């Protein structure tokens, strides 16, 4: 069976981002049925509806690049109990012009990662609210709120925690099954 291509969007631009480290860890434990690729979102100008008729090249490239993917995986920190602006911006850019949303029908999953104890629960669920509207069928279980992230990676940015590795492996296998459920829809 052909691999399913998954876009990975990371909601942090920070060089030492725990979320980016987690995205790389997820790629390592992902089953062979998935092919994950981080899609960069830091270069997208702030979304402006005036650009819908004459979009910046970065918007067009981003929207086009999303077309090749069968699903989308969001790995995000929580900023002020919500979704970081850089990730919301990418979601908004991908959603327009009206009626041409790049997200429509693509199966998704969300993981939030925070050095705090709550694991970014607020961001995770605010993000899910947008995904309902965007018709991204989003995996419900297992939920993934990864807390205490500052303790999870070694000096080489590798995951150093066996139970977290076990959990994210389970998460990625569940996501692979979730994506397959939608495979016949041709998205
Ligand atoms: C503007 C701002 C707001 C933040 N708000 C929250 C928050 O609401 N909840 C939380 O758990 N951490 C919050 N943090 C801390 C982030 O979780 C922390 O900076 C984390 O390392 C960001 O993810 P990253 O390592 O992937 O960059 C906030 C950080 C910033 C810069």
């Amino acid at each position: 069976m052909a691999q399913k291509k998954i876009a990975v969007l990371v909601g942090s631009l920070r060089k030492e981002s725990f979320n980016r480290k987690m995205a790389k860890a997820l790629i390592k434990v992902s089953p062979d049925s998935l092919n994950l690729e981080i899609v960069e979102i830091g270069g997208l100008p702030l979304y402006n509806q005036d650009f819908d008729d004459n979009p910046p090249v970065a918007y067009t490239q981003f929207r086009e690049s999303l077309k090749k993917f069968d699903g989308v995986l969001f790995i995000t920190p929580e900023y002020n109990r919500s979704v970081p602006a850089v990730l919301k911006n990418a979601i908004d850019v991908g959603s327009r012009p009206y009626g041409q949303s790049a997200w429509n029908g693509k199966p998704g999953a969300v993981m939030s990662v925070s050095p705090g104890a709550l694991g970014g629960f607020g961001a995770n669920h605010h993000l899910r609210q947008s995904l309902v509207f965007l018709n991204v069928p989003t995996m419900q279980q297992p939920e993934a709120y990864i807390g205490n992230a500052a303790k999870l990676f070694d000096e080489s940015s590798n995951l150093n925690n066996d139970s977290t590795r076990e959990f994210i492996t389970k998460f990625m296998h569940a996501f692979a099954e979730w994506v397959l459920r939608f495979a016949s829809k041709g998205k």
Side-chain angles (χ1 to χ4, degrees):
M1 195 191 327
Q3 280 187 316
K4 297 294 167 200
K5 294 191 175 69
I6 305 298
V8 181
L9 271 72
V10 178
S12 169
L13 304 180
R14 199 169 72 87
K15 218 176 335 151
E16 291 297 324
S17 162
F18 299 126
N19 282 270
R20 185 170 287 264
K21 289 176 187 176
M22 182 58 81
K24 290 180 179 168
L26 289 165
I27 289 171
K28 279 191 192 156
V29 302
S30 172
D32 290 342
S33 59
L34 298 182
N35 181 354
L36 280 74
E37 189 184 314
I38 295 178
V39 176
E40 299 299 340
I41 59 175
L44 293 172
L46 281 182
Y47 177 72
N48 180 338
Q49 199 174 352
D50 289 339
F51 298 160
D52 277 4
D53 293 333
N54 190 13
V57 174
Y59 283 15
T60 311
Q61 285 176 343
F62 179 65
R63 290 165 178 158
E64 280 301 310
S65 75
L66 290 174
K67 284 188 184 159
K68 72 173 180 191
F69 292 104
D70 303 295
V72 59
L73 176 58
F74 297 92
I75 314 297
T76 188
E78 177 175 83
Y79 278 5
N80 300 313
R81 295 284 182 259
S82 188
V83 180
V86 68
L87 180 55
K88 184 58 165 56
N89 186 53
I91 289 170
D92 293 342
V93 170
S95 73
R96 292 283 160 147
Y98 184 76
Q100 296 172 45
S101 170
W103 311 113
N104 188 33
K106 288 194 198 299
V110 177
M111 176 178 284
S112 49
V113 178
S114 170
L118 301 181
F121 174 87
N124 192 308
H125 280 260
H126 272 185
L127 178 53
R128 286 170 183 274
Q129 179 169 322
S130 294
L131 298 179
V132 169
F133 178 67
L134 293 169
N135 192 32
V136 173
T138 304
M139 185 171 75
Q140 291 162 352
Q141 293 290 339
E143 298 163 278
Y145 318 109
I146 310 294
N148 300 312
K151 296 190 180 133
L152 294 180
F153 300 95
D154 65 20
E155 284 168 5
S156 310
S157 301
N158 294 314
L159 203 54
N160 64 9
N161 183 293
D162 287 342
S163 67
T164 304
R165 185 176 303 102
E166 200 178 309
F167 172 74
I168 68 169
T169 303
K170 196 172 123 199
F171 178 86
M172 287 311 298
H173 279 78
F175 185 46
E177 280 180 30
W178 182 253
V179 169
L180 272 186
R181 286 204 208 178
F182 299 88
S184 59
K185 306 249 167 71
K187 298 263 181 182

